[in-house]
Amino acid sequence: MKIPVFNPTIRRKDLDAVLTCMVDDKLGTGELTDLLVTAVCEKLGHAGGIAVRDPGKGTALLYRLLCSDEKRTVLLSALAPARYGDPVAAAAADLRLCDVDIKTALIDPESVRTLYDESVAAIVLNDTLGNIVPAEDFSEWQVPLIRDVTASFGLGLPPADGNGDKERPLGADVDFCLLGLESDGPVTGGGGLVITARNRIQASKLKHLLSEFSAETVLSDLNASLARIQVLASDEALRRRKEIFTIYMAAFMRSRKETLSFSKYSDGFYCAFPILLDVDTREIIKYAAKKGVEVRFAFDKVLLSSGDGAGCPRALNLMNRCLVFPLYPMLSGEDCKLISKLISTVA
């Protein structure tokens, strides 16, 4: 059986939380969903938020909050997750894809500057593979900033000037955060999306908009129970991810290939391990499969996949060259040895 690239980290205590929820007949929406949102907000430094079952509908709800007839354009990375272009979400805003920095795979401020006009309502900062986007690079436009923390949840921002060595929460420098709960993310609830707001007024508006939808739109307590226990254990999971990253990096450094560069706010990739290749990437995928390891294109489910890449040549380049290897806490020591050897071989 192949080692998958992404695998939900579900431990015994996670299952116990779900079983308790079932025994208590808490299968609908209620207290546990609220506790999940509270736990996420505490980690991100935000005031409040909501949790929804359908990521596309949740993204549409946020677009509705931020967009108006005069301002309905949202700027985002061409390598942002495809859910931003979900038909329900896309109907609520006009999306413009920005190119990325070829070294970091993060949204490029210069591309934003080229595409920006008075119709822009918000900018999405996607922390690609856990690489943190420096939000201050986008503050000059004075529009709401949305950080997608799905791959970076658990990390923090460097201390602010004059604030000693105290790390800041990941949501400290943005207006909204999105945490996906799908099975291939570091935090999973079996599906869903948590949306948080730094400002209490905006958090209240999110809740008001959500109340206009049917009750089934809200994430169920059953899913929330699983996601919440993972949020509470995110520090422990991140430590294990960092240990594995160090093992992989040691193997990678023996090669002459390249990986993506870290942003000034990052020190590693803890969601999956990326490698950039100029050889036939599909042959590498086949070779890894023969060794019992799944390797896939890093950006096979992004907005650019279904759009025109003419205006985003750097993003298109990375789509064709960047592969990712498994990196998650449930990997055994033997798994890590196998994958690190594979990394040193193909790289």
Side-chain angles (χ1 to χ4, degrees):
M1 183 176 179
K2 284 193 299 185
I3 301 171
V5 173
F6 299 105
N7 198 38
T9 303
I10 301 176
R11 301 149 301 176
R12 178 59 183 266
K13 60 182 177 180
D14 299 344
L15 294 175
D16 288 344
V18 175
L19 289 173
T20 299
C21 183
M22 295 174 68
V23 170
D24 292 342
D25 292 329
K26 293 182 177 179
L27 304 183
T29 300
E31 179 185 0
L32 293 179
T33 302
D34 294 338
L35 289 175
L36 166 63
V37 173
T38 298
V40 173
C41 286
E42 288 177 353
K43 197 74 176 177
L44 296 175
H46 277 194
I50 60 174
V52 298
R53 298 188 187 198
D54 183 344
K57 187 176 289 186
T59 305
L61 190 151
L62 182 57
Y63 289 165
R64 281 183 55 189
L65 174 65
L66 298 174
C67 295
S68 64
D69 290 340
E70 297 77 23
K71 289 180 173 286
R72 56 176 283 117
T73 299
V74 175
L75 299 180
L76 67 179
S77 165
L79 298 181
R83 62 174 159 79
Y84 285 98
D86 179 275
V88 176
D94 297 327
L95 307 185
R96 290 185 192 167
L97 304 190
C98 301
D99 208 355
V100 299
D101 183 299
I102 192 66
K103 294 182 178 180
T104 64
L106 299 178
I107 185 171
D108 181 18
E110 288 303 317
S111 183
V112 171
R113 185 170 287 107
T114 299
L115 294 174
Y116 183 86
D117 60 28
E118 292 302 315
S119 72
V120 173
I123 301 173
V124 177
L125 310 179
N126 179 54
D127 291 340
T128 308
L129 298 176
N131 209 10
I132 301 174
V133 183
E136 69 266 23
D137 292 350
F138 303 85
S139 60
E140 67 179 270
W141 291 285
Q142 298 184 340
V143 296
L145 298 178
I146 304 164
R147 182 184 296 283
D148 191 320
V149 301
T150 301
S152 58
F153 188 81
L155 298 172
L157 300 174
D161 293 341
N163 197 27
D165 59 355
K166 186 177 181 180
E167 190 177 67
R168 293 178 294 154
L170 195 55
D173 56 358
V174 295
D175 302 285
F176 299 90
C177 283
L178 301 180
L179 172 63
L181 303 176
E182 301 304 314
S183 60
D184 59 355
V187 175
T188 182
L193 179 72
V194 177
I195 307 172
T196 66
R198 181 172 55 176
N199 181 291
R200 289 191 180 278
I201 294 177
Q202 296 288 47
S204 179
K205 289 181 179 179
L206 277 174
K207 293 177 182 178
H208 177 73
L209 277 175
L210 181 60
S211 69
E212 298 177 3
F213 289 81
S214 65
E216 291 76 16
T217 303
V218 182
L219 191 73
S220 71
D221 272 354
L222 187 64
N223 296 91
S225 64
L226 174 59
R228 178 173 173 266
I229 197 71
Q230 295 207 337
V231 167
L232 296 177
S234 59
D235 289 345
E236 176 187 344
L238 182 60
R239 281 194 292 272
R240 177 56 180 158
R241 287 178 179 273
K242 288 186 174 183
E243 291 173 0
I244 297 172
F245 175 81
T246 301
I247 294 172
Y248 290 177
M249 203 62 186
F252 179 78
M253 292 299 290
R254 296 194 290 268
S255 75
R256 295 184 179 181
K257 298 297 182 182
E258 59 179 325
T259 184
L260 295 172
S261 300
F262 312 146
S263 78
K264 62 183 179 182
Y265 282 176
S266 302
D267 57 7
F269 298 100
Y270 308 120
C271 181
F273 191 83
I275 289 181
L276 298 176
L277 297 169
D278 293 315
V279 298
D280 188 343
T281 47
R282 296 189 184 278
E283 288 302 315
I284 298 299
I285 293 173
K286 292 178 182 178
Y287 174 76
K290 291 179 181 179
K291 298 296 182 179
V293 178
E294 181 190 17
V295 174
R296 69 168 67 166
F297 286 100
F299 307 117
D300 61 344
K301 297 179 181 178
V302 297
L303 286 172
L304 190 57
S305 301
S306 58
D308 182 7
C312 304
R314 295 187 295 275
L316 189 60
N317 179 291
L318 290 175
M319 277 186 66
N320 294 325
R321 295 180 56 214
C322 189
L323 299 179
V324 284
F325 291 73
L327 196 167
Y328 43 84
M330 299 300 282
L331 292 171
S332 68
E334 288 302 314
D335 292 338
C336 292
K337 287 181 181 179
L338 173 61
I339 295 168
S340 61
K341 183 177 180 180
L342 187 60
I343 288 172
S344 65
T345 302
V346 303

